[in-house]
Amino acid sequence: MRKLVASLFISLDGVVEAPDQWQFAFDDEMGEEITTVTSAQDAILLGRVSYQEWAGYWPTSDEEPFASWINETPKYVVSTTLESTDEWQNSTLLTGDLSKAVTELKNQPGGGIGVGGSPTLVRSLLELDLLDELRLLIHPVVAGKGAKLFDNGELKKLELVEAKPTSSGTVIVAYRPAR
């Protein structure tokens, strides 16, 4: 079964929305982390909001090596409102029962599946016990406002897989659901 890994930039107060507004540093260790994680993945799972934001940016981006990887990698988009994902190459719309669609995707042959952004989707995947690993790049900043990763959710126990600080003070942590 393919491994489903979510990676998010997050502030100390739990904000994941608009990291471009509060992420003041991107150091070599963060770049290495993203490269290592994406090298094990051959598919991306996105929620509607992240898909629409990314589809408006990445197809014309020259931020390498990430732009080429994101544009060439198959993308699966979870949405109850989108009618099509034709605007961005290699994108497939997943509709209907989330648990069934993601389980079928995980059962297909291939490498890991990465969840980019998409905090609402990440919460749903955790609630449904479909997420295998949650990787957070915790930035040493209090954003003060914005959508948080966890707001009024049910108790979910996670176990630490690894933690490492970076030269900018960001801490990269990986958790997996305690089972």
Side-chain angles (χ1 to χ4, degrees), residues 42 44 66-75 88-90:
D42 64 8
I44 303 169
F66 305 119
S68 292
W69 183 84
I70 290 170
N71 287 311
E72 294 169 9
T73 300
K75 291 162 281 297
W88 193 10
Q89 68 180 14
N90 299 322

Side-chain angles (χ1 to χ4, degrees), residues 45-48 51 75-79 82 85 91-94:
L45 184 64
L46 297 166
R48 178 193 54 83
Y51 168 77
K75 291 162 281 297
Y76 297 89
V77 183
V78 175
S79 177
L82 284 178
T85 55
S91 297
T92 302
L93 184 61
L94 299 180

Side-chain angles (χ1 to χ4, degrees), residues 30-161:
M30 285 186 259
E32 290 170 15
E33 166 71 8
I34 292 170
T35 300
T36 298
V37 169
T38 57
S39 68
Q41 300 170 348
D42 64 8
I44 303 169
L45 184 64
L46 297 166
R48 178 193 54 83
V49 173
S50 292
Y51 168 77
Q52 289 177 316
E53 289 173 356
W54 287 26
Y57 178 78
W58 285 111
T60 58
S61 173
D62 60 359
E63 287 186 44
E64 295 300 345
F66 305 119
S68 292
W69 183 84
I70 290 170
N71 287 311
E72 294 169 9
T73 300
K75 291 162 281 297
Y76 297 89
V77 183
V78 175
S79 177
T80 57
T81 57
L82 284 178
E83 294 181 15
S84 168
T85 55
D86 293 342
E87 68 185 273
W88 193 10
Q89 68 180 14
N90 299 322
S91 297
T92 302
L93 184 61
L94 299 180
T95 59
D97 181 75
L98 176 63
S99 183
K100 181 179 177 188
V102 172
T103 299
E104 288 174 3
L105 183 60
K106 288 179 72 171
N107 283 325
Q108 292 176 2
I113 305 164
V115 182
S118 308
T120 302
L121 176 59
V122 171
R123 281 191 298 273
S124 295
L125 294 169
L126 272 169
E127 289 170 10
L128 294 168
D129 287 322
L130 293 169
L131 193 65
D132 297 299
E133 191 170 283
L134 177 60
R135 300 190 74 83
L136 301 173
L137 286 82
I138 306 169
H139 289 264
V141 62
V142 175
K145 62 180 179 174
K148 295 186 176 188
L149 179 55
F150 302 110
D151 253 347
N152 301 321
E154 61 183 62
L155 177 67
K156 189 67 162 182
K157 187 165 174 30
L158 304 172
E159 51 189 35
L160 183 66
V161 175

